[in-house]
Amino acid sequence: MKNKLYLLSLILLLFACKDPDIRKISILQTTDIHGAVLDYDFIEKKSMSASLASAATYIKKVRENNNPVVLLDNGDNLQGQPVVYYYNFIDTLSPHLNAEVMNYLKYDAATVGNHDIEAGHKVYDRLVKEYDFPLLAANAVEIKTGDPYFRPYTIIERNNLRIAVMGLTTPAVTSWLPYELYSGIEFRDMEKTAKKWMPVIKAEKPDLIVGLFHSGWDNAETRKRNGYNPDNSGSVAVAFNVPGFDIIFTGHDHKTANETILNSEGDPVLILNGGSRGENIARADVIFIGEGRKPVKKITGEIVDVNQYKPDRKYTDNFRKQKDIVKEYVDKVIAVSKKDISSRDAFFGPSAFVEMIHSVQLAVSGADISFAAPLSFDVKISKGPVTVGDMFKLYRFENMLYTVSMTGEEIRKYLEFSYSQWLNTMTGPSDRLIKLRKDDNNNPVLINGRAWLSNQAYNFDSAAGIDYIVDISKPEGSRIKITSLSGGRHFNPRTRYLVAVNSYRGNGGGGHFAKGAGIGSAQLNSRVISSTDKDLRYYILKDLEKKKEIDPLPRNNWKIVPDAWVKKAAPADYKLLFGETM
């Protein structure tokens, strides 16, 4: 009813006023750029069809139309491409490229993302000073003072209008990252924080209130409204339960969204999500009609495909020097590979790709056992020269290496959980081996003819240091049989072993410890024996520089049985996933 009255009042106002006071603004949002700031992929060593360089063309076009523009970003900029890694950790004296490009484009505000926090205090504290705009996150609170560590909100003035922008970030940061990266900060509930700050923002008498949330928009969760996964759907709880927002821009989940919902008071809220890596821009156009402090607002949303725009020449020319510097860095040859090494094999058994991770984790930590996953679904290190850039294929994230104490039985239960995310229980050779994403009719979802894993590749942990079998004829929870420690030593379910895991997993990411091994987050902290002070990619890179040559072989310390079933099912699933024969 309120929505109908809102539209009716808009129509009546237009007819009642001969010359109504009409003011317009456009709000543009980028999100989850993940280092795609230039039109070049430093990992694949080729041009990008979409990036912030192409987004710059569209942003310039909108500004040239003489509409006042507000430009916002929703975080996760400091991880993903070597170009940001370089300015995060290699050259820390020059101005950070991410600050330079965002200042060049004249951003008005940005919310901090979990992968920005992952870069560590030195990086994001430095960028707060280098940005010409505020970095927001009302729910990232300094423990000592109780005040927001970043700015909670900002007021932007355009066309004699006051636009309030509140920033919130996913509180699940603490589930993924070691405390050292956010020491002194706690991440509070998004809904409670929004309710706290909304009266403060309203006291500023803004004409428009915008949410800039690094948290996804899960349509399935919109039916629940209460009780939500704080990782992906914190935005849902705020949108429905905290009246006052006119527009909420979401992010984090790399999806696009453009819909209007009615909040708990029946007021419309436009929800927009700009996807990731500069492939789309979310755009809101707002028309204010009428004078005074409460003009009538007409708000529309659009998701703009950036792929149709070429990179802005002035933008790319302006940052050509930085591009050349980083290109020289990633093109440095550190070793030679004797063969192609693909992540594809890792979903069907022991693989050379994951072995490269296991071997470094065991060597650096001195642990008995290693857990590791293929962090990318489908990447390859080609035969021949291996460069620094190739390490971003092998290891995508800036994870530290933890050494954790676990009993033998906890190790088995951890693996039971991992393989339950990965493999079906089969009744015969005609069943599917791999768990695939399904549609409502229980058929594999096909996109461009290919199926998709039911979970993320980075959650499919296997183990090194133990010999075991995975019997997919048995129900989940009773498939793993550990026969011995590798080398033949006895494996005891009651003995404690040192286990190497990355910091994402060691902080509870993926649920392997809590849901699998039965080690909750509070207990998990006490199980961490040590942590490296540098990320795993650094150690892998140093290892390859020392060896000069790569010829990894699968350890073949585990296998999926029954053999005959796997032999028939694996090639069929491989073809569905990758479009090629095994």
Side-chain angles (χ1 to χ4, degrees):
M1 179 60 70
K2 274 195 171 185
N3 201 25
K4 290 181 180 178
L5 291 173
Y6 156 76
L7 292 173
L8 181 60
S9 65
L10 177 62
I11 294 168
L12 290 173
L13 182 60
L14 285 170
F15 277 104
C17 301
K18 279 188 177 182
D19 297 304
D21 178 33
I22 298 177
R23 289 168 288 173
K24 301 177 182 179
I25 59 167
S26 295
I27 307 175
L28 306 181
Q29 177 234 27
T30 58
T31 187
D32 295 85
I33 295 297
H34 284 287
V37 294
L38 302 177
D39 60 331
Y40 185 76
D41 188 328
F42 292 88
I43 301 172
E44 298 299 335
K45 300 171 186 175
K46 63 181 183 180
S47 297
M48 284 184 176
S49 59
S51 69
L52 203 55
S54 297
T57 301
Y58 179 75
I59 293 166
K60 180 187 288 187
K61 176 185 175 184
V62 178
R63 284 176 170 151
E64 286 174 348
N65 287 338
N66 296 321
N67 251 21
V69 172
V70 174
L71 181 58
L72 306 174
D73 182 83
N74 222 342
D76 271 9
N77 297 308
L78 303 181
Q79 177 274 332
Q81 276 284 325
V83 70
V84 286
Y85 182 87
Y86 182 83
Y87 286 98
N88 286 347
F89 307 116
I90 308 301
D91 181 0
T92 59
L93 298 178
S94 299
H96 198 296
L97 180 61
N98 203 72
E100 289 199 293
V101 298
M102 296 185 80
N103 291 342
Y104 178 90
L105 292 172
K106 294 182 171 56
Y107 274 84
D108 293 291
T111 289
V112 68
N114 54 289
H115 283 297
D116 303 322
I117 298 296
E118 187 177 30
H121 266 291
K122 287 183 179 179
V123 179
Y124 56 79
D125 288 347
R126 166 187 164 202
L127 279 165
V128 166
K129 298 173 183 176
E130 292 189 20
Y131 286 145
D132 292 341
F133 52 87
L135 194 58
L136 309 176
N139 63 325
V141 175
E142 190 169 14
I143 295 171
K144 283 185 178 180
T145 65
D147 296 327
Y149 189 85
F150 305 97
R151 291 267 291 276
Y153 70 92
T154 187
I155 302 293
I156 300 163
E157 298 197 3
R158 292 286 189 281
N159 209 6
N160 294 319
L161 296 163
R162 289 167 59 79
I163 300 101
V165 181
M166 180 197 297
L168 295 170
T169 194
T170 169
V173 167
T174 57
S175 298
W176 306 320
L177 302 179
Y179 179 71
E180 291 80 5
L181 299 178
Y182 56 89
S183 59
I185 306 174
E186 63 180 353
F187 295 85
R188 295 182 178 176
D189 180 84
M190 290 176 59
E191 182 182 348
K192 291 177 181 177
T193 301
K195 285 180 176 176
K196 172 184 175 180
W197 284 100
M198 183 57 72
V200 179
I201 290 174
K202 285 184 174 180
E204 298 263 12
K205 300 189 183 306
D207 298 290
L208 190 76
I209 300 179
V210 175
L212 190 61
F213 302 163
H214 189 81
S215 174
W217 181 257
D218 187 340
N219 287 320
E221 292 289 334
T222 62
R223 293 189 292 271
K224 299 180 182 178
R225 303 192 184 188
N226 295 297
Y228 61 96
N229 176 341
D231 171 15
N232 288 323
S233 52
S235 299
V236 173
V238 177
F240 280 109
N241 302 326
V242 186
F245 291 101
D246 297 290
I247 305 166
I248 291 177
F249 291 100
T250 66
H252 177 65
D253 58 3
H254 295 195
K255 298 177 183 178
T256 57
N258 178 10
E259 62 179 281
T260 299
I261 60 109
L262 297 180
N263 65 22
S264 58
E265 292 189 353
D267 296 320
V269 184
L270 175 64
I271 309 296
L272 290 170
N273 189 337
S276 68
R277 293 176 173 84
E279 295 176 353
N280 300 283
I281 286 180
R283 173 175 176 169
D285 290 299
V286 189
I287 301 175
F288 296 83
I289 304 172
E291 298 178 352
R293 296 310 307 164
K294 288 190 177 181
V296 176
K297 291 169 283 195
K298 180 178 184 298
I299 304 173
T300 56
E302 179 184 3
I303 302 298
V304 179
D305 181 5
V306 171
N307 287 280
Q308 62 185 300
Y309 295 93
K310 293 181 179 180
D312 180 68
R313 179 64 62 85
K314 287 185 177 180
Y315 177 98
T316 56
D317 287 348
N318 196 67
F319 302 109
R320 191 163 303 281
K321 178 183 175 182
Q322 292 93 325
K323 176 182 176 180
D324 292 341
I325 290 171
V326 178
K327 195 170 182 299
E328 182 179 356
Y329 166 70
V330 299
D331 287 346
K332 178 186 176 185
V333 175
I334 56 173
V336 174
S337 178
K338 286 188 155 187
K339 59 189 175 187
D340 291 345
I341 306 168
S342 171
S343 64
R344 293 181 177 185
D345 301 335
F347 306 106
F348 301 91
S351 76
F353 190 91
V354 178
E355 166 55 25
M356 295 174 70
I357 303 172
H358 278 311
S359 62
V360 171
Q361 290 193 166
L362 289 170
V364 172
S365 67
D368 305 297
I369 296 160
S370 167
F371 290 140
L375 299 189
S376 298
F377 168 61
D378 186 13
V379 297
K380 181 175 72 173
I381 295 174
S382 299
K383 179 181 178 181
V386 177
T387 66
V388 170
D390 289 324
M391 293 304 95
F392 289 80
K393 293 182 185 180
L394 176 62
Y395 212 90
R396 290 174 54 198
F397 305 112
E398 276 79 70
N399 293 322
M400 307 302 178
L401 178 62
Y402 281 7
T403 305
V404 180
S405 173
M406 299 178 71
T407 68
E409 178 60 11
E410 288 168 343
I411 289 166
R412 185 194 66 80
K413 289 164 66 177
Y414 180 109
L415 290 172
E416 289 282 6
F417 177 82
S418 178
Y419 283 88
S420 74
Q421 309 300 300
W422 187 349
L423 303 175
N424 286 306
T425 298
M426 297 177 68
T427 60
S430 297
D431 289 345
R432 297 234 171 268
L433 171 65
I434 303 294
K435 284 191 173 181
L436 304 175
R437 196 180 302 173
K438 301 288 187 68
D439 61 19
D440 292 339
N441 296 317
N442 207 35
N443 295 316
V445 173
L446 299 180
I447 301 175
N448 296 324
R450 292 193 186 187
W452 290 80
L453 298 171
S454 63
N455 203 324
Q456 296 291 341
Y458 55 71
N459 281 326
F460 293 158
D461 278 13
S462 63
I466 53 175
D467 295 344
Y468 62 101
I469 61 171
V470 186
D471 189 342
I472 39 79
S473 71
K474 295 182 178 180
E476 294 177 7
S478 58
R479 296 168 166 179
I480 305 295
K481 181 180 180 182
I482 302 173
T483 57
S484 68
L485 291 164
S486 295
R489 288 185 297 133
H490 178 63
F491 180 84
N492 191 329
R494 293 181 295 278
T495 298
R496 283 189 179 270
Y497 297 96
L498 295 180
V499 181
V501 294
N502 67 44
S503 56
Y504 168 77
R505 192 73 75 234
N507 284 289
H512 294 59
F513 278 101
K515 297 177 184 177
I519 305 172
S521 57
Q523 186 185 2
L524 185 55
N525 291 335
S526 67
R527 296 289 194 94
V528 177
I529 305 301
S530 64
S531 170
T532 57
D533 61 350
K534 294 183 174 63
D535 66 280
L536 258 166
R537 189 190 298 123
Y538 169 87
Y539 293 102
I540 296 171
L541 194 151
K542 291 300 180 184
D543 181 65
L544 295 186
E545 280 185 319
K546 182 179 178 181
K547 290 178 178 176
K548 301 294 184 185
E549 190 173 84
I550 306 174
D551 189 17
L553 296 172
R555 287 179 184 246
N556 294 323
N557 62 306
W558 65 274
K559 66 183 298 187
I560 307 170
V561 298
D563 291 327
W565 295 9
V566 174
K567 188 175 181 180
K568 181 176 180 182
D573 286 354
Y574 189 99
K575 182 74 179 291
L576 264 180
L577 286 167
F578 303 112
E580 298 176 4
T581 55
M582 198 168 189

